[in-house]
Amino acid sequence: MKNHIKSILSLTVICAVVTVLLAGTNMLTAPIIEKNQAAAANEALLVVMPDGTDFAAVDLTQYTLPSSVLEAYSEAGGGHVFKLTASGYGPNMIIMCGVDAAGTVTGAVCLSSNETLGHEKTYGESTKGATAETIDSVATISGATMTTENYRNAVKDALNSAIILGGGSVDIRTEEEILADNLAAALPAGDTFTEVFIHEALTDVSAVYTAANGAGSVYVTGEGEDALFVGVGADGVVVSDVDAAIKANIEAQAAVLAASTLTEIDLSQYADMPKQVDKAYKTSGGNYVIETHGSGFGINGDHYYNPSGEYIYVKVALTADGKVINCVTLAQSETDGIGSACADKEFYSQFNGKDETTYKDIDAISGATLTTNGYKSAVSKAFEAVKIMEGVA
Amino acid sequence: MKKENTMSVLLKGLLRENPVFVLILGTCPTLATTTTVTGAFGMGLATLAVLVCSNIVISALRKFIPDTVRIPCYIVVIAGFVTVVQMLIQAFIPDLYETLGVYLALITVNCIILGRAEMFAGKNPIGRSALDGIGMGLGFTLALLAMATVREVLGAGTFAGMEIPFLVDHKIELMAKAPGGLMVYGILIAVVNKITKGKVIKKKEFSCAGCPAAAECAGGCAEAVKEEQ
């Protein structure tokens, strides 16, 4: 018994002494370790803001910032560093961007990404020196438009956030929100708007949206910054306050679209019709709507690996002389986050206005060559089908 | 037990009873941390520090610690010193801390340290235990340095991070990997065996008396085994 007590006692004493020793060491080293770790964290911040000092995290709950902002740091000189998320062709690009007190980008780097071409590694350099006013004019990289455009948008979010943190206010709505607001403003009576597949050649109309409640449609003329949203009532009369010339044009275009009908063409009468052509329609305006499919990564794969076994289905509206009026993806099962970008308007709208000689000049989906090729081949069948039906092939 | 002279206590760890190449202790950190010379040097010094400190403390407490709980007591002392060293390295040499990673914490279970505590410090006075710690620690450090020099020079074409012309373009990647480590380890054991003329191994058959540490142990472990049986 005596031995047991001695054992317990000695082990307890040793443990207690060691504990005191550790506590002492911890008191000495903890502040230094903390300082080291903070310095290591700041190193990433210094990359995008070399002159920054005394970085401190900003409490994001106090501000309404663009949703892409993950973290924000302020520094002694009045500048800010933002950690942002953006999706390129793949999701989850993480971008670090520094903005100085004057609202100029001091640097931007991509910390991690799933992009395939690697442009995101160097693109940040070109945004250096940009301000909220000039960021939109920073060129994107052709062939990697999606990656660089989204990168640029993230930098823009950083610039806007810096303005907001500085007490200013900016429009931080997303493109979808801006579009919805524009549509609602053009046709206040309309509710949920959906885009209409235009299959007639319209003059000066880039898109048409129709209201779900039957209140009418919104016609968009012009592109980008110059886009004008014109509301047209269910009766085909322009309700927005616009120039007489624009009003007349839009009403004429609306009449064309309203009068347009589709007649399905019996494909069996054409012996040499490509088998990829699923359906064909002739419009009352003399144009064609062709539904085709192509083998993307889903079915073609590497000839031995077929992830989904699904074709890419495409609907193309063409003029009788083979010029694309409109193009849309009907269905696809390409790799999510890579080839699935073929379902994005940014991709398929590239075919608009192209013909058989120019349709290949589109920006491919980065990392999804098979998807892009399959898509192009589906579109090419539409050109073939029109030639056959027009009797020129 | 025959008294060794003081010099011999210090020097035996370097070669004759080198913990790595003769006693074959601490194999895990030996293989894991010898891909770079700086990492090996840091590991060696960290172990040396823990070894000396724990040897001194355990030697000082050897009359106080009851036999039945000596292993837990040793472990607590060793773990305490390892944690102290770990915190100091994290605070003052953060790069080394990154390099050594988990192996720093694993010094606690390095059998060299527990081995010396059990074999030497628990039976010898403080001064000699400290010398034993220094000798064994240096022996461990030198062994790691020898291994790391071969592996880094051949495997990465660098020495302590400095590029070596020609070799840097002709790396033998295998050397930086586990098989390369085992190969170098085996070859170095053979070389040490040759230098010591195999005395330590050949002395007896593979038995308790044939153990290189037989002098201090004096069959202690064999007795312990017998007792247990």
Side-chain angles (χ1 to χ4, degrees), chain A residues 87-91 93 114-120 141-148 335-342 347 350 362-373:
Chain A
S87 47
Y89 260 110
M93 272 202 289
N114 298 316
E115 304 304 286
T116 46
L117 295 178
H119 288 299
E120 74 282 1
I141 295 170
S142 128
T145 326
M146 199 136 182
T147 307
T148 47
T335 316
D336 202 26
I338 306 172
S340 64
C342 72
F347 173 72
Q350 294 185 90
I362 54 148
D363 282 344
I365 301 171
S366 84
T369 313
L370 287 168
T371 303
T372 313
N373 288 349

Side-chain angles (χ1 to χ4, degrees), chain A residues 106-126:
Chain A
T106 54
V109 289
C110 183
L111 299 183
S112 68
S113 72
N114 298 316
E115 304 304 286
T116 46
L117 295 178
H119 288 299
E120 74 282 1
K121 289 180 190 132
T122 50
Y123 183 69
E125 198 59 27
S126 62

Side-chain angles (χ1 to χ4, degrees), chain B residues 191-213:
Chain B
V191 169
V192 170
N193 205 4
K194 180 84 189 160
I195 296 171
T196 58
K197 302 198 177 68
K199 261 185 222 158
V200 281
I201 309 293
K202 261 193 230 151
K203 198 155 81 182
K204 296 273 154 52
E205 300 248 322
F206 189 75
S207 67
C208 190
C211 173

Side-chain angles (χ1 to χ4, degrees), chain A residues 7 10-11 18 22 25 32-33 36, chain B residues 66 68 73 80 83-84 90-92:
Chain A
S7 300
S10 55
L11 191 51
V18 168
L22 288 179
T25 316
I32 304 171
I33 292 170
N36 286 348
Chain B
T68 42
C73 289
T83 314
V84 167
Q90 193 183 2
F92 297 107

Side-chain angles (χ1 to χ4, degrees), chain A residues 2 37 49 58 62 80 89 103 108 124 128 201 209 240 252 266 274 283 286 293 303 305 320 359 361 364 382:
Chain A
K2 201 182 146 199
Q37 282 169 344
M49 187 173 275
V58 174
Q62 299 188 5
H80 293 94
Y89 260 110
K128 219 167 160 176
Y209 297 85
S240 302
D266 178 16
T283 73
H293 62 263
H303 300 293
Y305 173 58
Y359 78 99
D361 309 337

Side-chain angles (χ1 to χ4, degrees), chain A residues 3 6-11 13-16 18 21-23 25-30 32-33 36-37, chain B residues 61 63-66 68-69 72-73 76-77 79-81 83-88 90-94:
Chain A
N3 276 344
K6 199 191 165 203
S7 300
I8 294 166
L9 212 64
S10 55
L11 191 51
V13 170
I14 289 176
C15 286
V18 168
L21 180 73
L22 288 179
T25 316
N26 189 46
M27 265 164 63
L28 171 75
T29 56
I32 304 171
I33 292 170
N36 286 348
Q37 282 169 344
Chain B
L61 296 177
K63 301 234 166 79
F64 170 73
I65 297 173
T68 42
V69 289
C73 289
V76 169
V77 170
F81 279 119
T83 314
V84 167
V85 167
Q86 194 180 356
M87 287 195 279
L88 290 175
Q90 193 183 2
F92 297 107
I93 328 172

Side-chain angles (χ1 to χ4, degrees), chain B residues 52-64:
Chain B
V52 173
C53 294
S54 67
N55 263 11
I56 290 173
V57 170
I58 287 168
S59 172
L61 296 177
R62 71 187 188 281
K63 301 234 166 79
F64 170 73

